[in-house]
Amino acid sequence: MFNLLEDKLIGVKTDSCLIQSSLPDVYELMMKDEVLAFPSLRPHQRHAWHAFLAQLGASALFRAGKLDVPMPSACWRSLIGNLTPDFPNNEPWHLVVNEMTRPAFMQPPASSENKRSAYKNLCNTPDELDILVTAKNHDLKSASAIGGFTDDWLFSLVTLQTTGGFSGSGHFGIARMNGGFGSRPSFSITPSERPGAHLQRDILALLERRSEILQEHAMQDGGLLLLWCLPWDGTKGEALTLPDLDPYFIEICRRVRMKADADGKLTCGKATSKEARINAKNFNGNIGDPWTPVDQRGPKSLTLGAGGFHYRRLVDYLFSENWTHPILLRPRQLENCSSSIVWLLAKAMVRGQGKTEGYYERALPVRHRIKGALGRPSNQELGDIATMHVKEIATIQGILRYAVSVFAAGGRDAIRDEHRFRARSWSDKLDQFVDSHFFERLQDVLEAESTDQRRQVRKRWMLEVVDMARELLRQASDALPCPVVQRYRIRAAAESLFEGRIRGPKGVPEYFTDTE
């Protein structure tokens, strides 16, 4: 029941209308770049769905000996169906299969019908199955998707099985993350933010770079691919090892089983397991995920912290020698030869202990000069320039914070914690301004033709930051509490301190002449 290869279960918003599609139909529409969105797909599920489609599509093409993406839905139906030749009735692509000894989509079979009783933890709504921790009902309410559609269940199932982390005894996380409280971030480049263009690009890049993962990681060419097709009773000794797996294996981390009542209403039962499905704990997530940067100081896969993709973090991830870029962040040969702009897409959900700490996305336009630096072990020139910008901006922020603190203290140096607290919000506003412009200005510097031009571009950027800091100091002087008769004197003291420090030896004096 609910056959993904034949039944039109997935809602798709195209350029002209909203339609229902099968999984092969989705591939046809995506390859034609006609998809605007999947209405039932929640933001934190986007990468899980994209990664699933990319890994499945690339693997189906590779095993069929094809190096380019087909268009027709019928062709995709044949390619995907050929991945499961042991199941002529296509059970691995059905959301509901009543026989426990047969796989269902993203649902591993059991060794016998007697194991059905283990699936006693029932999910009545698709958001109960999802990875978001909503038990306290503080932000997103739990079990609220009462009228969920079939594709709501589909997206929750894919997200849980391919990005789930540790969530209590017997509920282990995926192998492609550093620990049970880690995350599976996504870094890749794409010619467009449209989902179809992004998917087509990643599928072709996965086909081209398959051998790189095989060389770097102990995996098997043509190994186990669709892990939900294998029996799993959750006992000790059933864990798979990396040498058993295909480099683009689509994993599962939980024992779940869906069923439908007479009216077609879906529910899902969950069972525990004694150990993780894949024995990869010692690898700390460094198993060749095509989207995840690896920290060479571990080595370990990136776990994004609260706060998301701030410019200081991205400078570290993109330009530091500490990080190895994933293969999908590295430009393809055609992309390197073209001067066209590409988009860098970064996505991740931050998982804390017993809570969800936010979902983050960032899209950055990348020009040709900086595009060529992506994927290299390190780019000294680019890294040095970016790091210098970060340090100088931190200096300006510190001076602004101190000047606002002095104003809050009544123009005196007797600054207390309460004054620093009031100043922090104004410093944060400067940080937000910088964050929205940082990478655009960095690329302006890199595209300068000569050393002198580069110095002039850097100077304009830093003076722009100083001007914003000056404006924020003025706004703070208007907004913060102060005796009316003393406001002019206190403001003058704060502004004098700011101007003196910004031009002094501990500021950024190289950007000021006698007339500036």
Side-chain angles (χ1 to χ4, degrees), residues 42-48 131-132 139 183-188 302-311 313-314 317 344-352 355-363 435:
R42 305 170 83 184
H44 71 278
Q45 298 172 336
R46 288 173 187 156
H47 174 55
I131 61 174
L132 293 181
D139 188 3
S183 56
R184 188 189 179 191
S186 167
F187 282 74
S188 65
L302 168 65
T303 295
L304 186 69
F309 299 106
H310 187 272
Y311 72 91
R313 283 183 177 168
L314 287 177
Y317 299 154
L344 189 157
L345 301 183
K347 305 176 184 179
M349 196 190 78
V350 180
R351 179 183 291 104
K355 59 182 177 179
T356 300
E357 296 187 352
Y359 172 74
Y360 298 92
E361 285 189 8
R362 185 150 191 182
D435 193 54

Side-chain angles (χ1 to χ4, degrees), residues 196-216:
H198 187 198
L199 178 64
Q200 183 168 346
R201 184 266 174 188
D202 277 4
I203 286 177
L204 293 174
L206 287 175
L207 287 170
E208 292 174 2
R209 298 203 164 124
R210 180 184 174 86
S211 60
E212 295 182 31
I213 295 182
L214 283 170
Q215 291 172 4
E216 295 174 9

Side-chain angles (χ1 to χ4, degrees), residues 262-451:
D263 297 325
K265 181 179 180 347
L266 294 170
T267 57
C268 185
K270 297 191 292 184
T272 59
S273 54
K274 298 293 185 183
E275 62 182 1
R277 187 65 179 114
I278 300 173
N279 182 12
K281 183 177 180 180
N282 294 334
F283 291 90
N284 299 319
N286 178 25
I287 60 173
D289 187 353
W291 290 272
T292 302
V294 173
D295 188 344
Q296 292 304 310
R297 292 164 292 188
K300 56 187 177 182
S301 65
L302 168 65
T303 295
L304 186 69
F309 299 106
H310 187 272
Y311 72 91
R312 286 193 292 269
R313 283 183 177 168
L314 287 177
V315 165
D316 184 31
Y317 299 154
L318 298 177
F319 310 128
S320 167
E321 61 184 9
N322 296 327
W323 294 90
T324 298
H325 293 175
I327 60 172
L328 293 180
L329 186 57
R330 307 171 195 170
R332 300 174 61 212
Q333 184 176 358
L334 288 175
E335 291 165 343
N336 267 329
C337 295
S338 171
S339 60
S340 300
I341 288 176
V342 297
W343 288 86
L344 189 157
L345 301 183
K347 305 176 184 179
M349 196 190 78
V350 180
R351 179 183 291 104
Q353 295 193 23
K355 59 182 177 179
T356 300
E357 296 187 352
Y359 172 74
Y360 298 92
E361 285 189 8
R362 185 150 191 182
L364 297 172
V366 178
R367 301 177 215 163
H368 184 61
R369 184 72 64 88
I370 200 170
K371 177 174 60 179
L374 295 176
R376 299 178 187 175
S378 64
N379 185 297
Q380 191 65 40
E381 179 188 35
L382 182 55
D384 288 347
I385 293 173
T387 302
M388 185 183 303
H389 284 186
V390 170
K391 290 180 178 178
E392 290 173 339
I393 289 165
T395 297
I396 297 169
Q397 281 183 293
I399 293 172
L400 170 64
R401 191 161 48 245
Y402 185 73
V404 175
S405 298
V406 167
F407 182 89
R412 303 181 300 273
D413 284 339
I415 297 173
R416 299 193 298 270
D417 288 345
E418 63 182 276
H419 304 135
R420 297 186 183 92
F421 177 79
R422 288 178 175 176
R424 191 177 305 141
S425 64
W426 300 97
S427 174
D428 290 344
K429 289 181 180 180
L430 180 62
D431 201 53
Q432 293 168 9
F433 168 80
V434 171
D435 193 54
S436 64
H437 294 84
F438 184 89
F439 290 97
E440 180 182 359
R441 298 296 184 267
L442 178 63
Q443 294 181 88
D444 290 341
V445 173
L446 289 173
E447 290 182 338
E449 296 297 330
S450 65
T451 302

